[in-house]
Amino acid sequence: MILILRSDATSEQVDHVVKHVESLGFAAHLSKGTHRTIVGIIGEEDEARNAPLKAIPGVADVVPVMPPYKLASRDAHPQDSIVEVGDCKIGGGHLGMIAGPCSVEEPERMDRIAESVRKSGANIFRGGAFKPRTSPYAFQGLGEDGLKILRDSGQKYGMPVVTEVTDPRNVELIVKYADMLQIGARNMQNFVLLTEVGKTNKPVLLKRGMSATVNDLLMSAEYILSQGNSQVVLCERGVKGFDNATRNLYDLASVALVKTLSHLPIMVDPSHATGRPELIPPCALAGVAVGADGVHIEVHDCPEVAKSDGPQALLPDQYHDLMEQLRGVAQAVNKKIACPQVTDSATIESNI
Amino acid sequence: MILILRSDATSEQVDHVVKHVESLGFAAHLSKGTHRTIVGIIGEEDEARNAPLKAIPGVADVVPVMPPYKLASRDAHPQDSIVEVGDCKIGGGHLGMIAGPCSVEEPERMDRIAESVRKSGANIFRGGAFKPRTSPYAFQGLGEDGLKILRDSGQKYGMPVVTEVTDPRNVELIVKYADMLQIGARNMQNFVLLTEVGKTNKPVLLKRGMSATVNDLLMSAEYILSQGNSQVVLCERGVKGFDNATRNLYDLASVALVKTLSHLPIMVDPSHATGRPELIPPCALAGVAVGADGVHIEVHDCPEVAKSDGPQALLPDQYHDLMEQLRGVAQAVNKKIACPQVTDSATIESNI
Amino acid sequence: MILILRSDATSEQVDHVVKHVESLGFAAHLSKGTHRTIVGIIGEEDEARNAPLKAIPGVADVVPVMPPYKLASRDAHPQDSIVEVGDCKIGGGHLGMIAGPCSVEEPERMDRIAESVRKSGANIFRGGAFKPRTSPYAFQGLGEDGLKILRDSGQKYGMPVVTEVTDPRNVELIVKYADMLQIGARNMQNFVLLTEVGKTNKPVLLKRGMSATVNDLLMSAEYILSQGNSQVVLCERGVKGFDNATRNLYDLASVALVKTLSHLPIMVDPSHATGRPELIPPCALAGVAVGADGVHIEVHDCPEVAKSDGPQALLPDQYHDLMEQLRGVAQAVNKKIACPQVTDSATIESNI
Amino acid sequence: MILILRSDATSEQVDHVVKHVESLGFAAHLSKGTHRTIVGIIGEEDEARNAPLKAIPGVADVVPVMPPYKLASRDAHPQDSIVEVGDCKIGGGHLGMIAGPCSVEEPERMDRIAESVRKSGANIFRGGAFKPRTSPYAFQGLGEDGLKILRDSGQKYGMPVVTEVTDPRNVELIVKYADMLQIGARNMQNFVLLTEVGKTNKPVLLKRGMSATVNDLLMSAEYILSQGNSQVVLCERGVKGFDNATRNLYDLASVALVKTLSHLPIMVDPSHATGRPELIPPCALAGVAVGADGVHIEVHDCPEVAKSDGPQALLPDQYHDLMEQLRGVAQAVNKKIACPQVTDSATIESNI
């Protein structure tokens, strides 16, 4: 950590800075430049970070030199982590393909959607039973009934399931039904919830908050990892931008950046990033090309009656066509779509 | 609500749109323009809003004509709401002046800070006992001990207290000690938490999320109001911007806008908005000038040893000087600083 | 165009709105909803757009139903436009691969870089002779000497050249040397300059401004097209975002969106979008996967002595490796790298 | 300037960094921390800034310690600069009050508007004769005729005039008619234009670009100052934000920040910042409260027929009421509205 002193810092202030830094257990290394003095703090930056050094009189700025996350850092774990959701691997060259409707709906519809996405190549089934909705008057999800429906459809078509957790009091319940727990964008800095899912032994899909920096995202992963749960999959789903032509701003450079900073797998969610069905397929291909470890897509067989997010759902046929194209791009970047248990529709049929 | 159809919408699609809209219980009013057809939906927009109308084939866009919040809307309640925190009024010309350290610290320090801000004119005392920190390794607050310390210092100097709630399981505990519950920016869309504080009878300070639109903020207020708790005070504390010269981007036009859309009081928090002590006083004055119903400021008597956010704390003297200036601006816009119970230091002294 | 009236609009205001709209030569079609009246304006929206309809008393909002650009719109020209720069085609399945240093430097270096990028598969050579620099004290470019050097290196290695125009008074000069004129991001709304390049017969590379919406970008293209120059290639180069971990925020969904709205080719520039060499290759692959018609990359053989933007330059070897990977992704999305004149290094050698 | 080396920098790389830095004429001061080495560069940062130090192998980051602008810096000129436009002072406690329509329109209307704003207290008259419009099909201004009309109305009512310059070829013409030259937001980084107005002896109103940081704004001022023209007035007019409820995001903290960094006066423009008449008055008051040196407001006597920006114009009466309130806030922060030549309507009348 480096302290840059003000150009008008007095020698008393410089002395005080040095004494204060030393009183915290660090060595201080002064370097007097032409216009300013800088102070290198020698010691573990993790400890220095918690002290409000910028508040010391005479200090103009504090420059960290190390990332504030440890367990999530690639320095701590140079090789790609592979997270297993049921039999499905994510990371290290394996693409997780999550598909399904926004909300869990009636069992027959869930079966229909599960069958179609499974045949197209999806390997994890999704659906929300507890929905975080902007409006208190909107559909809030089917609750535990939804969890059962989701699990049953997943099992019938050979896919582990992922569903969102929104309440620390529900974690225990959801763990009984789900193979993977999703933390939604609006809860990415709900540290209470992160701590609770960190105490489970389930993989966690951690979606990036709408105004979270890459550093914020990795710090939220650190919360989960620091509780002992190492199975974290990150997910870029678009951030806030100034152009409302798309629902959010799909930040693919952040995916490439995360791959350099962290060993954790990271997926993309072009459904929420764009909010427009016609943009989802090209944006899914781009996600794989940039190095993502999987793609999360909302699929519904009749969007105009969907309980939530209908306008951004792909139809089963559109999803099928996308998966055909996606295999070509995946091959070009040496990735493969992981397929748990079954790969052909015959086996799927026999499962029913 | 208006549906704008695609320029290439077929007559079958137009018919289907009309039938679909009618099947939902609305009347559809077609208007054929030179290039496009638009469909006016006649009926209660609150009901139409929950249907995924944009997903109907042939629909290009859906344009709402009513705000999605009802209880928070000025239409529903044309006069300014006044929220009472202890004896202190906020709104309708009364300025709430919240001051105190970021985190609750040791009792002697809390007393010192409380005494000084009270003398300067603060009328609500603040301090966090459960802290939502970006890093799992940072100070997480004193918990229930902190709540007691905060309450005691507040009582000693005649100020009601506000503290942050982060966990739905803690609401019951915090209600015992606090006069006002704060929902922090990172939890503005933690709908589970909003619902819980909506069930209490305590005033709520709802901070705007870092990437929340004004509409999002009012919808989060609606969550609380819809549970029966009408005592909501909004707070602008800066949103994400592209220039990291300030911690956040202080959005004062949103305060003026909220005053036109809603009857709820709205405060400003220049401490979090700017993160720089030298900018806090002018930004506080501007907040009052734009029409805010109060100012929230972090004050610490020794920022270089503060448990959190030291670098953005004002010193007690700086707070005092700011309050002097603020009275002049308040007068120019016909606002007054509400003062519960005591106004002079003699009375404060006698309280101890 | 639709006018949404205020919920408190009086009948006098409604009458005035209708009369005002009719006085402008349009028909007005009223639709009275449960809470609000809307007015459909029947006629050419291009004419209605120039009237300040939102300023009419009683009007709450104005909703356009047509895009404000005509020549740039895909409605006007359903098939992809193909722009030819020298022998190199951009669009319609042909990828333009622009490479070269940020600034034109000395001839020997320019020759070295041109030779290497040509061998790797670049088909257009770039370099700035008139540089728009944030600081008045920074290197401003070699001027006309630079134009000559650029043209000579391009010719020697069989590549047309592109260079930036910053001053309307220099357009005539630059046209003599360049095969394509670049409008930089900071000049995207320099309408005077757009008008001037619109009067030439040279292809124009129009870079998206840092805070330009897709609509703004297409309106700037419209300026050029409306002067009679139909050879416009758009370029996404990153927009302003809140996370300074990357130089800008690479907005690939906008590329997919532009392909649906306009017939014009659009390239990507991952060099300026990310500003970090390690992120440029994956972001270039993603650009091709999302549907871009070309990639613009800065290459320098010794970045630590570059006259500008050295820290974001790829080395020739890095560019070579990227091009190898890029061919695979291009094939997966049915695109090919256009190659003017020569394709193998033997022919290049013989050109020297 | 400080170089932070990569944690895996080799000793050869460290040696090379030191040699490279020394070869540029600086001394290098190494400081080895627990995890990383940092290199302090001793010498004039203005020279170091132009070298691409971040491109040196082994360098992870470059941290400047001095601002990149010199003439605009408060270090260079500790006291507030006062800029005189005609007889009207801006800065150092004097508020410049610019008012008038967006575009210059017919002479009678201009006279009417000039008379009304002059009586309300405006001291500089505005109007655009060369308009930078997003659409090539929109009204582009009256050109030289407009300049004459503007000047005449200003003279008649005792106000100097400001108008926008968009083309370097027009600077000479506009200088003949205008007392102050405006650089619009879209041209803030049109360095060619900045250089041209820097060569004149007219005060310049430099509006902040829509995605310009405070540093970018001061660097653009530096362009003008470095040409010898010291009369620069900055103007905050809103930046791009994610919430389109307001036209732009009014960044008042930047005004307070500029006052600490620079001696140049800075005004606010709540008309463009908000785009909504009902928000302009409170936002104008806030601008004065935060420390701005003036307010720029668009006024039109019949917005529904305005040639441009009608929907954001204040009516003369609204402007009058605002000015009444504004005097109170100005007094509270020790500012006064400068009044060239005349202060009462009697004198104005006699001028006609």
Side-chain angles (χ1 to χ4, degrees):
Chain A
M1 201 163 265
I2 306 166
L3 307 185
I4 301 176
L5 303 193
R6 294 169 56 99
S7 52
D8 60 1
T10 63
S11 58
E12 286 73 23
Q13 287 180 326
V14 177
D15 288 349
H16 175 70
V17 168
V18 170
K19 272 182 203 148
H20 191 91
V21 165
E22 290 174 351
S23 77
L24 295 167
F26 303 101
H29 184 223
L30 257 72
S31 175
K32 288 189 197 242
T34 306
H35 296 285
R36 295 201 178 204
T37 295
I38 64 173
V39 182
I41 298 186
I42 318 293
E44 285 301 327
E45 186 159 308
D46 294 325
E47 291 160 26
R49 193 173 290 117
N50 287 327
L53 302 171
K54 198 171 173 181
I56 310 174
V59 174
D61 218 345
V62 175
V63 182
V65 301
M66 298 292 290
Y69 41 84
K70 293 185 288 192
L71 304 171
S73 163
R74 198 172 270 280
D75 288 344
H77 188 297
Q79 288 185 307
D80 285 354
S81 281
I82 296 175
V83 171
E84 294 195 37
V85 181
D87 293 356
C88 174
K89 290 179 180 171
I90 303 176
H94 306 272
L95 294 175
M97 298 301 305
I98 299 177
C102 180
S103 292
V104 176
E105 303 195 15
E106 67 274 22
E108 298 71 25
R109 186 184 299 284
M110 292 301 283
D111 279 356
R112 272 201 305 279
I113 300 174
E115 181 176 10
S116 76
V117 298
R118 186 74 189 85
K119 283 184 179 169
S120 301
N123 47 31
I124 301 176
F125 192 49
R126 69 147 281 132
F130 296 92
K131 299 297 304 172
R133 302 304 297 278
T134 305
S135 168
Y137 310 119
F139 177 64
Q140 307 276 325
L142 297 177
E144 186 168 2
D145 287 347
L147 296 176
K148 287 179 190 161
I149 296 169
L150 177 70
R151 180 199 55 190
D152 291 350
S153 293
Q155 284 184 345
K156 209 178 283 182
Y157 297 98
M159 290 181 286
V161 300
V162 58
T163 198
E164 183 164 355
V165 186
T166 60
D167 188 333
R169 297 168 299 191
N170 279 347
V171 172
E172 201 178 346
L173 172 71
I174 294 173
V175 158
K176 288 187 205 159
Y177 295 97
D179 301 290
M180 185 180 213
L181 308 177
Q182 177 183 315
I183 300 289
R186 288 174 183 76
N187 281 314
M188 193 203 84
Q189 292 195 316
N190 182 338
F191 304 117
V192 168
L193 193 59
L194 296 177
T195 301
E196 287 302 317
V197 301
K199 291 175 184 162
T200 74
N201 61 357
K202 293 283 181 181
V204 178
L205 180 66
L206 177 64
K207 292 192 144 191
R208 183 180 179 188
M210 276 167 272
S211 57
T213 61
V214 164
N215 190 68
D216 290 337
L217 174 62
L218 292 173
M219 286 309 284
S220 286
E222 190 83 6
Y223 257 93
I224 300 169
L225 299 170
S226 69
Q227 294 296 322
N229 186 344
S230 63
Q231 304 168 83
V232 176
V233 177
L234 309 169
C235 185
E236 158 61 27
R237 44 78 73 207
V239 294
K240 282 276 176 169
F242 55 80
D243 189 355
N244 62 3
T246 51
R247 181 170 175 179
N248 290 293
L249 210 164
Y250 190 40
D251 181 12
L252 283 187
S254 77
V255 175
L257 180 60
V258 163
K259 301 303 285 181
T260 70
L261 299 173
S262 176
H263 55 92
L264 297 172
I266 180 165
M267 300 182 75
V268 291
D269 172 358
S271 299
H272 285 87
T274 67
R276 300 173 64 139
E278 70 273 28
L279 306 185
I280 294 172
C283 286
L285 301 182
V288 172
V290 92
D293 299 298
V295 183
H296 173 288
I297 287 185
E298 290 185 353
V299 177
H300 197 283
D301 63 336
C302 186
E304 75 186 43
V305 300
K307 294 291 189 194
S308 59
D309 272 357
Q312 77 187 27
L314 284 195
L315 291 166
D317 283 356
Q318 293 171 320
Y319 185 68
H320 185 79
D321 293 348
L322 163 59
M323 289 297 285
E324 290 295 306
Q325 281 190 281
L326 199 142
R327 285 185 187 89
V329 174
Q331 193 176 15
V333 294
N334 295 314
K335 295 275 175 76
K336 58 172 180 285
I337 300 174
C339 271
Q341 300 161 349
V342 294
T343 54
D344 58 286
S345 60
T347 321
I348 290 177
E349 299 298 329
S350 71
N351 257 28
I352 303 173
Chain B
M1 201 164 265
I2 307 166
L3 307 185
I4 301 175
L5 303 193
R6 295 170 57 98
S7 53
D8 60 0
T10 62
S11 58
E12 286 75 23
Q13 287 180 328
V14 177
D15 288 350
H16 175 70
V17 168
V18 170
K19 274 182 202 146
H20 191 92
V21 165
E22 290 174 352
S23 77
L24 295 168
F26 302 101
H29 184 224
L30 257 71
S31 175
K32 287 189 198 243
T34 307
H35 296 286
R36 298 203 176 203
T37 295
I38 63 171
V39 182
I41 298 186
I42 318 295
E44 284 302 326
E45 186 159 310
D46 293 327
E47 291 159 27
R49 193 173 290 115
N50 287 327
L53 302 171
K54 199 173 174 180
I56 309 175
V59 174
D61 218 347
V62 174
V63 182
V65 300
M66 297 292 289
Y69 40 85
K70 291 184 291 189
L71 304 171
S73 163
R74 198 173 270 280
D75 287 344
H77 188 299
Q79 287 186 308
D80 285 354
S81 281
I82 296 175
V83 172
E84 293 194 38
V85 182
D87 294 356
C88 174
K89 290 179 179 170
I90 303 176
H94 305 272
L95 295 175
M97 298 301 304
I98 300 177
C102 180
S103 293
V104 176
E105 303 194 14
E106 68 274 21
E108 298 72 24
R109 186 183 300 284
M110 293 301 284
D111 279 356
R112 272 201 306 277
I113 299 174
E115 181 177 12
S116 75
V117 298
R118 186 73 188 87
K119 284 185 179 170
S120 301
N123 47 29
I124 302 176
F125 192 48
R126 67 146 284 134
F130 297 91
K131 299 296 303 172
R133 303 302 299 276
T134 306
S135 167
Y137 311 119
F139 177 65
Q140 307 277 325
L142 295 178
E144 186 167 1
D145 287 347
L147 296 175
K148 287 180 191 161
I149 296 170
L150 177 69
R151 180 199 55 189
D152 291 351
S153 292
Q155 285 184 344
K156 209 178 284 183
Y157 296 98
M159 292 181 284
V161 300
V162 56
T163 197
E164 183 165 356
V165 186
T166 61
D167 188 333
R169 298 168 298 192
N170 280 347
V171 172
E172 201 178 347
L173 172 71
I174 294 173
V175 159
K176 289 187 207 159
Y177 294 98
D179 301 290
M180 185 181 214
L181 308 177
Q182 177 183 316
I183 299 289
R186 289 173 183 76
N187 281 314
M188 191 204 83
Q189 293 195 315
N190 182 339
F191 304 116
V192 168
L193 194 59
L194 296 177
T195 301
E196 286 302 318
V197 301
K199 292 175 185 164
T200 74
N201 61 356
K202 293 283 182 179
V204 177
L205 180 66
L206 177 64
K207 293 193 144 189
R208 182 180 181 189
M210 276 167 271
S211 57
T213 61
V214 164
N215 190 68
D216 290 338
L217 174 61
L218 291 173
M219 286 308 285
S220 287
E222 189 83 5
Y223 257 95
I224 300 168
L225 299 170
S226 69
Q227 294 297 322
N229 186 343
S230 63
Q231 305 168 83
V232 175
V233 177
L234 309 170
C235 184
E236 158 62 28
R237 44 77 74 205
V239 293
K240 282 275 175 168
F242 56 80
D243 189 354
N244 61 3
T246 50
R247 182 171 174 179
N248 290 292
L249 210 164
Y250 190 40
D251 181 13
L252 283 187
S254 76
V255 175
L257 180 60
V258 163
K259 301 304 284 181
T260 71
L261 300 173
S262 177
H263 56 91
L264 297 172
I266 180 166
M267 300 183 75
V268 292
D269 171 358
S271 300
H272 285 87
T274 67
R276 299 173 64 140
E278 70 273 28
L279 306 185
I280 294 171
C283 286
L285 301 182
V288 172
V290 93
D293 300 297
V295 184
H296 172 288
I297 288 185
E298 290 185 354
V299 178
H300 197 283
D301 63 336
C302 187
E304 75 184 45
V305 301
K307 293 291 188 193
S308 59
D309 273 355
Q312 77 187 26
L314 284 195
L315 291 166
D317 283 356
Q318 293 171 319
Y319 185 69
H320 185 80
D321 293 346
L322 163 59
M323 290 296 285
E324 291 295 308
Q325 281 190 281
L326 200 140
R327 284 185 188 90
V329 174
Q331 193 176 16
V333 294
N334 295 313
K335 295 275 176 75
K336 60 171 181 282
I337 300 175
C339 271
Q341 301 161 347
V342 295
T343 52
D344 59 285
S345 60
T347 320
I348 291 177
E349 299 297 329
S350 71
N351 258 27
I352 302 174
Chain C
M1 200 164 263
I2 307 165
L3 306 185
I4 301 176
L5 303 193
R6 294 170 57 100
S7 52
D8 60 359
T10 63
S11 58
E12 286 74 24
Q13 287 180 326
V14 177
D15 288 350
H16 175 71
V17 168
V18 170
K19 274 181 202 147
H20 190 92
V21 165
E22 290 174 351
S23 76
L24 295 168
F26 303 101
H29 185 223
L30 256 72
S31 176
K32 287 190 199 242
T34 306
H35 296 286
R36 296 203 177 203
T37 295
I38 63 173
V39 182
I41 298 186
I42 319 294
E44 286 301 326
E45 186 159 310
D46 294 326
E47 290 158 27
R49 193 173 289 117
N50 287 327
L53 302 171
K54 199 173 173 179
I56 310 175
V59 174
D61 218 346
V62 174
V63 182
V65 301
M66 297 293 288
Y69 40 85
K70 292 184 289 191
L71 304 171
S73 162
R74 198 173 270 280
D75 288 344
H77 188 300
Q79 288 186 307
D80 286 354
S81 281
I82 296 176
V83 172
E84 294 195 39
V85 182
D87 294 356
C88 176
K89 290 179 179 168
I90 303 177
H94 306 273
L95 295 175
M97 298 300 305
I98 299 177
C102 180
S103 292
V104 177
E105 303 194 14
E106 67 274 23
E108 298 71 25
R109 185 182 300 285
M110 293 300 285
D111 279 355
R112 272 201 305 278
I113 299 174
E115 181 177 11
S116 76
V117 299
R118 187 72 189 87
K119 284 185 178 168
S120 301
N123 47 30
I124 302 176
F125 192 49
R126 69 145 282 133
F130 296 92
K131 299 296 303 171
R133 302 303 298 279
T134 306
S135 168
Y137 311 119
F139 176 65
Q140 307 276 325
L142 296 178
E144 187 168 1
D145 288 346
L147 296 175
K148 287 179 191 161
I149 296 170
L150 177 69
R151 180 198 56 190
D152 290 351
S153 293
Q155 284 184 344
K156 209 178 282 181
Y157 296 98
M159 291 182 286
V161 300
V162 57
T163 198
E164 183 164 355
V165 185
T166 61
D167 188 334
R169 298 168 298 192
N170 279 347
V171 172
E172 201 179 346
L173 172 72
I174 294 172
V175 159
K176 288 187 206 159
Y177 295 98
D179 301 290
M180 185 180 214
L181 307 178
Q182 177 183 316
I183 299 289
R186 288 174 183 76
N187 281 313
M188 193 204 82
Q189 292 195 315
N190 181 338
F191 304 116
V192 168
L193 193 59
L194 296 176
T195 301
E196 287 301 317
V197 301
K199 292 176 184 162
T200 73
N201 62 356
K202 293 283 181 179
V204 177
L205 180 66
L206 176 64
K207 292 193 144 190
R208 182 181 180 189
M210 277 166 270
S211 58
T213 61
V214 163
N215 190 67
D216 290 337
L217 174 62
L218 292 173
M219 287 308 285
S220 286
E222 189 83 4
Y223 257 94
I224 300 168
L225 298 170
S226 69
Q227 295 297 321
N229 186 344
S230 62
Q231 306 168 81
V232 175
V233 177
L234 309 169
C235 185
E236 158 62 28
R237 46 75 76 204
V239 293
K240 282 277 174 168
F242 57 78
D243 190 355
N244 61 3
T246 50
R247 181 169 173 181
N248 290 293
L249 210 164
Y250 191 40
D251 180 12
L252 284 187
S254 76
V255 175
L257 180 60
V258 163
K259 301 303 285 182
T260 69
L261 299 173
S262 176
H263 55 92
L264 297 172
I266 180 165
M267 301 183 75
V268 291
D269 172 357
S271 299
H272 285 87
T274 67
R276 300 174 64 140
E278 70 273 27
L279 305 185
I280 294 171
C283 286
L285 302 182
V288 171
V290 92
D293 299 298
V295 184
H296 172 288
I297 287 184
E298 289 186 354
V299 178
H300 197 284
D301 63 335
C302 187
E304 76 185 44
V305 301
K307 293 291 188 192
S308 59
D309 273 355
Q312 77 187 27
L314 284 195
L315 291 166
D317 283 356
Q318 293 171 319
Y319 185 68
H320 185 80
D321 293 348
L322 163 58
M323 289 296 284
E324 291 294 308
Q325 282 189 281
L326 199 141
R327 284 186 188 90
V329 174
Q331 192 175 15
V333 294
N334 295 315
K335 294 275 176 76
K336 60 171 181 284
I337 300 175
C339 271
Q341 300 163 348
V342 295
T343 54
D344 58 287
S345 61
T347 322
I348 291 177
E349 299 297 331
S350 71
N351 257 28
I352 303 171
Chain D
M1 200 163 266
I2 307 166
L3 307 185
I4 302 175
L5 303 193
R6 295 170 56 99
S7 52
D8 60 0
T10 63
S11 59
E12 286 75 23
Q13 287 180 328
V14 177
D15 288 350
H16 175 70
V17 167
V18 171
K19 273 182 202 145
H20 191 91
V21 165
E22 290 174 350
S23 76
L24 294 168
F26 304 100
H29 184 223
L30 257 71
S31 175
K32 288 189 197 245
T34 307
H35 296 286
R36 297 202 175 204
T37 295
I38 62 173
V39 182
I41 298 186
I42 318 294
E44 285 302 326
E45 187 160 308
D46 293 326
E47 291 160 25
R49 193 173 290 116
N50 287 327
L53 302 171
K54 199 172 173 180
I56 310 175
V59 174
D61 218 345
V62 174
V63 182
V65 300
M66 297 293 287
Y69 41 84
K70 291 184 289 192
L71 304 171
S73 163
R74 198 171 271 281
D75 289 344
H77 188 298
Q79 287 185 308
D80 285 354
S81 281
I82 296 175
V83 172
E84 295 194 37
V85 182
D87 293 356
C88 175
K89 289 181 179 171
I90 303 176
H94 306 272
L95 295 175
M97 298 301 303
I98 300 178
C102 179
S103 293
V104 176
E105 304 194 14
E106 68 274 21
E108 298 71 25
R109 186 183 300 285
M110 293 300 285
D111 279 356
R112 272 200 305 279
I113 300 174
E115 181 177 11
S116 76
V117 299
R118 186 74 189 86
K119 284 185 180 170
S120 300
N123 47 31
I124 302 176
F125 192 48
R126 67 146 283 132
F130 296 91
K131 299 295 304 172
R133 302 303 298 278
T134 305
S135 167
Y137 311 119
F139 177 64
Q140 307 277 324
L142 296 178
E144 187 167 1
D145 286 347
L147 296 176
K148 287 179 191 162
I149 296 169
L150 177 69
R151 180 199 54 190
D152 290 350
S153 293
Q155 284 184 346
K156 211 178 283 182
Y157 296 98
M159 292 182 284
V161 299
V162 56
T163 198
E164 183 165 355
V165 185
T166 61
D167 188 333
R169 297 167 300 191
N170 280 347
V171 172
E172 201 177 346
L173 172 71
I174 294 172
V175 158
K176 289 186 206 159
Y177 296 96
D179 301 291
M180 184 180 214
L181 308 177
Q182 177 184 316
I183 300 288
R186 290 174 182 77
N187 281 314
M188 192 204 84
Q189 293 195 317
N190 182 340
F191 304 116
V192 168
L193 194 59
L194 297 176
T195 301
E196 287 301 317
V197 301
K199 291 175 186 163
T200 74
N201 62 355
K202 294 282 181 179
V204 177
L205 180 66
L206 177 64
K207 292 192 144 190
R208 182 180 179 189
M210 276 168 270
S211 57
T213 62
V214 163
N215 190 68
D216 290 338
L217 174 61
L218 292 173
M219 286 308 285
S220 286
E222 189 83 6
Y223 257 93
I224 300 168
L225 298 170
S226 69
Q227 294 296 322
N229 185 345
S230 62
Q231 304 168 84
V232 175
V233 177
L234 308 170
C235 184
E236 159 62 27
R237 44 78 73 206
V239 293
K240 281 276 174 168
F242 56 79
D243 190 354
N244 61 3
T246 50
R247 181 172 176 178
N248 291 291
L249 210 164
Y250 190 40
D251 181 12
L252 283 187
S254 76
V255 175
L257 179 60
V258 163
K259 301 303 284 181
T260 69
L261 299 173
S262 177
H263 55 92
L264 296 172
I266 179 165
M267 300 182 76
V268 292
D269 172 358
S271 299
H272 285 87
T274 67
R276 299 174 65 140
E278 70 272 29
L279 306 185
I280 294 171
C283 287
L285 301 182
V288 172
V290 92
D293 300 296
V295 184
H296 173 287
I297 287 186
E298 289 186 353
V299 177
H300 197 283
D301 64 336
C302 187
E304 76 186 42
V305 301
K307 293 292 188 191
S308 59
D309 273 356
Q312 76 186 27
L314 283 194
L315 292 166
D317 282 357
Q318 293 171 320
Y319 184 69
H320 185 79
D321 292 348
L322 164 59
M323 289 297 285
E324 290 295 307
Q325 281 190 281
L326 201 141
R327 285 186 187 88
V329 175
Q331 192 175 17
V333 295
N334 295 314
K335 294 275 175 75
K336 61 170 178 284
I337 300 174
C339 272
Q341 300 161 349
V342 295
T343 53
D344 58 285
S345 61
T347 322
I348 290 177
E349 299 298 329
S350 71
N351 257 27
I352 303 174

